[in-house]
Amino acid sequence: MLENNFYHKVYEIVRQIPYGRVTSYGAIAKAIGAAKSARMVGYAMNGASTLEDVPAHRVVNRNGLLTGKHHFPGTQLMRQLLEGEGIRVKDDKVENFAAVFWDPMSNAKK
């Protein structure tokens, strides 16, 4: 039950990520009050690519790497979804990461 509650909180934050922006596993963990749980956020995101209302493609690692790309159907779907929103990706890394990074602490629902 605890895991489901944690995942629910993660998905609520991910749903808030604006179009054309990305955030990181660690930023989500911090926003839900579990700052040292970035890996658990990653576990929550593993199956999120199948949830239509959770834009899982907007969650990357702290360096902007598309570490969750293998959880999307097809080999380049995560990159294609990001590029479709105007985010430039090169070598599986978001270019100009700081400029497109969205901090969930700035307006997350708690």
Side-chain angles (χ1 to χ4, degrees), residues 54-72:
V54 178
H57 63 284
R58 296 180 188 152
V59 183
V60 297
N61 84 354
R62 64 189 172 104
N63 298 313
L65 288 171
L66 311 188
T67 52
K69 71 178 185 167
H70 57 279
H71 293 287
F72 288 82

Side-chain angles (χ1 to χ4, degrees), residues 20-22 79 82-89 94-95 100:
R21 305 290 296 275
V22 295
R79 178 186 56 79
L82 289 170
E83 289 176 342
E85 295 186 16
I87 296 173
R88 293 187 319 267
V89 178
V94 173
E95 291 185 333
V100 296

Side-chain angles (χ1 to χ4, degrees), residues 32-96:
I32 63 173
K36 298 196 182 289
S37 298
R39 188 174 302 256
M40 280 297 295
V41 171
Y43 294 146
M45 297 309 300
N46 285 348
S49 66
T50 62
L51 302 174
E52 290 183 24
D53 66 331
V54 178
H57 63 284
R58 296 180 188 152
V59 183
V60 297
N61 84 354
R62 64 189 172 104
N63 298 313
L65 288 171
L66 311 188
T67 52
K69 71 178 185 167
H70 57 279
H71 293 287
F72 288 82
T75 57
Q76 297 297 319
L77 183 58
M78 184 177 187
R79 178 186 56 79
Q80 291 168 344
L81 291 169
L82 289 170
E83 289 176 342
E85 295 186 16
I87 296 173
R88 293 187 319 267
V89 178
K90 182 176 182 184
D91 297 326
D92 290 332
K93 186 174 182 180
V94 173
E95 291 185 333
N96 209 9

